[in-house]
Amino acid sequence: MGGVRINEKCETCVPGLYAAGEVAGGVHGGNRLAGNALAECVVFGQIAGTEAAKLRREDAWAIDDFTIRREEEKLRTIFNPEEAKGKKSSGFFISRLKEIMYRSVGVVRERDALETAQKEISELKDQAGHDLKITPGKIFNYDQIHAFELFNMIDLCQMTVKAALTRQESRGAHYRRDFPDLDNQNWLKNIIFQRRNGRMQTRTEDVKTPYISPGGPF
Amino acid sequence: MNDMVSIKIKRFDPEENRTYSQVYYVPRGTKTRVLDFLVYIFEEMDPSLAYRRHLCKARMCNACLMMVNGKPRFVCWELVSPDQTEINLSPLKGKRVLKDLVVDLPPAGMNRGGEADEKSE
């Protein structure tokens, strides 16, 4: 199932950022049993913790000034409510986003619904860009927290919808009504999204099966 | 079913140190639990209203504990009967209020063991 891509040290493609547990993808293949995340978070949590501590001890990595300034800029727009002159709250947009995902990107998926969802989400993103109102205040302000979450959620939803559209087969937890069968010929692949130069890029990579190949003799 | 429910909330603004009451008139629609009404107020009417929004909705995490009509209740579970048209909400008694309906609670799980938990810290 989907998630943050990690290597055997739990490293992500962002230097210094580790992922472990349910947020990381690919450990259980196309589907996962409920409750398996418990073992996963223990095993990978230990690996991630050890590796992160090692990195810190070596002092091999530090955040550069450019990254700090870029994040500061992002925070400033959220904490200066005067700059955002909209009417709708971030909670409003999040509940609309959830509605779209629940309706169209649920257990049974098909092309038409996914394409509708793709269109609706990009419309929502446009609307959120100029029609977002953020409540001032620094104590227990969920509106500001949701403003952070909203744009990350939109990005993730776009990735999910695009991946579901790209994968024209049914595998594990992904079921397409228009492609109900497993297709090991064409889709023994991972679909990978990465941000490059501020844009979302998609590529596929073959899954390595060095020991047993699916469909072959046991 | 399209009647309105008036929800009176005792609010606290920590930045101006001010306590006040506010009444919201919420259409009943298909809402059944007190939490549904709070969600509606936050998302559609007033995002400045603070209550703990990360919760389990299953009476386990304690994050949604507050006084409903004067009694301590889990609002994620507390039903609003179809003939009820008034709800009074105030923060949980005996705890320090951080903002509106949010009180200072220990993290979920930490408040079960009592003394043993405090010593191990």
Side-chain angles (χ1 to χ4, degrees):
Chain A
M1 276 169 104
V4 180
R5 194 162 201 240
I6 54 170
N7 61 11
E8 67 282 359
K9 289 177 174 179
C10 289
E11 287 168 337
T12 64
C13 65
V14 179
L17 181 70
Y18 293 79
E22 262 182 60
V23 73
V27 177
H28 298 284
N31 205 342
R32 54 171 283 275
L33 300 172
N36 268 17
L38 192 64
E40 189 182 338
C41 75
V42 172
V43 172
F44 286 91
Q46 186 172 22
I47 299 173
T50 315
E51 292 296 328
K54 215 186 276 172
L55 186 80
R56 187 67 195 90
R57 210 180 297 129
E58 289 167 0
D59 223 7
W61 166 80
I63 305 176
D64 57 291
D65 288 343
F66 173 73
T67 316
I68 294 174
R69 241 172 284 132
R70 197 181 58 191
E71 288 304 308
E72 270 179 356
E73 205 59 47
K74 208 157 83 184
L75 291 181
R76 213 163 280 138
T77 53
I78 285 181
F79 288 111
N80 276 353
E82 294 83 30
E83 285 179 23
K85 286 195 185 75
K87 281 187 220 70
K88 303 274 178 10
S89 74
S90 41
F92 170 84
F93 286 112
I94 289 179
S95 70
R96 291 298 172 279
L97 187 61
K98 282 179 177 171
E99 257 173 47
I100 296 171
M101 295 300 282
Y102 183 78
R103 201 180 54 234
S104 312
V105 203
V107 178
V108 180
R109 300 156 172 183
E110 58 190 340
R111 205 182 117 201
D112 293 349
L114 288 170
E115 276 172 353
T116 315
Q118 205 169 30
K119 212 173 113 234
E120 284 171 330
I121 293 169
S122 66
E123 279 169 11
L124 190 99
K125 191 177 184 176
D126 287 346
Q127 203 193 346
H130 66 258
D131 204 11
L132 185 65
K133 188 181 86 183
I134 298 166
T135 315
K138 291 194 176 66
I139 302 170
F140 239 98
N141 192 337
Y142 268 116
D143 204 29
Q144 283 176 1
I145 300 172
H146 290 326
F148 277 109
E149 290 170 345
L150 173 64
F151 291 100
N152 294 343
M153 284 170 91
I154 289 175
D155 284 349
L156 284 173
C157 291
Q158 282 182 324
M159 285 183 220
T160 309
V161 174
K162 196 159 179 215
L165 265 173
T166 311
R167 190 175 283 279
Q168 296 185 340
E169 60 150 0
S170 291
R171 179 183 296 275
H174 170 71
Y175 182 80
R176 285 277 298 260
R177 202 199 298 268
D178 36 1
F179 299 95
D181 299 316
L182 192 73
D183 184 0
N184 282 331
Q185 214 82 64
N186 302 312
W187 280 108
L188 213 55
K189 282 176 184 159
N190 288 134
I191 302 168
I192 296 152
F193 293 96
Q194 197 165 14
R195 188 202 290 267
R196 286 237 174 87
N197 307 321
R199 295 191 56 185
M200 188 168 86
Q201 290 196 337
T202 320
R203 65 174 198 275
T204 55
E205 256 177 42
D206 288 338
V207 177
K208 294 183 195 80
T209 50
Y211 307 111
I212 303 168
S213 22
F218 242 103
Chain B
M1 283 300 278
N2 285 321
D3 55 338
M4 305 294 264
V5 180
S6 72
I7 299 187
K8 193 176 171 195
I9 297 176
K10 193 182 165 198
R11 301 188 61 178
F12 169 67
D13 183 352
E15 278 162 76
E16 290 175 22
N17 201 14
R18 187 166 70 98
T19 308
Y20 58 106
S21 282
Q22 193 165 351
V23 183
Y24 298 92
Y25 295 95
V26 182
R28 190 188 300 272
T30 55
K31 302 178 199 62
T32 51
R33 316 255 175 200
V34 179
L35 180 65
D36 299 339
F37 289 85
L38 278 177
V39 170
Y40 184 89
I41 294 172
F42 181 86
E43 283 174 1
E44 312 278 339
M45 299 167 83
D46 184 4
S48 75
L49 177 75
Y51 64 97
R52 289 190 190 264
R53 279 185 49 88
H54 297 107
L55 35 81
C56 69
K57 295 190 186 174
R59 294 184 296 178
M60 286 177 77
C61 70
N62 290 3
C64 70
L65 270 175
M66 58 186 79
M67 310 299 280
V68 180
N69 297 327
K71 288 174 189 142
R73 289 285 183 270
F74 294 101
V75 293
C76 66
W77 213 256
E78 188 71 3
L79 285 167
V80 179
S81 60
D83 53 341
Q84 202 172 345
T85 53
E86 249 184 64
I87 304 169
N88 278 306
L89 295 176
S90 56
L92 192 64
K93 245 181 211 163
K95 300 274 183 194
R96 192 166 63 94
V97 182
L98 300 176
K99 187 182 179 182
D100 298 343
L101 297 167
V102 181
V103 295
D104 196 5
L105 277 176
M110 299 267 293
N111 44 1
R112 304 251 168 83
E115 278 186 15
D117 269 349
E118 278 161 31
K119 269 175 201 162
S120 65
E121 279 224 324

